[in-house]
Amino acid sequence: VQLQASGGGLVQAGGSLRLSCGTSGGTFTMNGMGWFRQAPEKAREFVAAVRWGDTRPYYADSVKGRFTISRDNAKNAVYLEMNSLKPEDTAVYYCAASPNRPITSNVRNPQQYGYWGQGTQVTVSS
């Protein structure tokens, strides 16, 4: 299974971007799907995640109210709508997926996700 992320780019502070992540090469449905990001010289951090059948996604406090995660189960795809972008959102964004359902306490743990996209750069200028 391969994940392919796209949609990154350069945007001014206050602007918006929409990231997309599709899967290929597999026949099973991904249960947990999410986004993480990594800024230069910083550890990879959780951004947002959604599990199959959940009505409530999970967000990092730093993006709550500005970012919206959604998924298309038929396509095994996940999206991240990013609004009111800030310079501190600058990072490489990675999509992640797991065929197993991450338990609630681990949904923010990158080790719960066995499949990763290649990353897409998001740069927010001030």
Side-chain angles (χ1 to χ4, degrees):
V1 176
Q2 292 185 329
L3 273 62
Q4 183 73 33
S6 62
L10 173 64
V11 64
Q12 289 188 333
S16 299
L17 283 173
R18 185 174 188 259
L19 306 183
S20 299
C21 178
T23 61
S24 62
T27 59
F28 47 87
T29 300
M30 293 297 181
N31 190 308
M33 302 191 79
W35 292 91
F36 291 76
R37 66 186 182 187
Q38 188 167 16
E41 300 181 356
K42 291 190 176 180
R44 188 169 298 191
E45 65 173 1
F46 169 79
V47 176
V50 59
R51 300 178 300 184
W52 177 281
D54 272 1
T55 57
R56 183 181 73 90
Y58 299 85
Y59 294 100
D61 288 343
S62 58
V63 307
K64 202 172 294 184
R66 300 187 298 121
F67 291 11
T68 302
I69 188 171
S70 61
R71 61 185 291 168
D72 184 331
N73 292 328
K75 296 181 179 179
N76 254 352
V78 65
Y79 309 96
L80 188 68
E81 186 75 33
M82 305 186 294
N83 298 314
S84 302
L85 283 161
K86 305 175 181 180
E88 50 263 44
D89 294 319
T90 295
V92 177
Y93 282 70
Y94 298 90
C95 58
S98 170
N100 302 311
R101 183 178 180 82
I103 61 175
T104 301
S105 60
N106 280 340
V107 73
R108 294 172 175 81
N109 185 346
Q111 294 184 350
Q112 292 300 304
Y113 301 87
Y115 298 93
W116 291 83
Q118 83 288 0
T120 184
Q121 176 70 47
V122 172
T123 303
V124 184
S125 62
S126 57

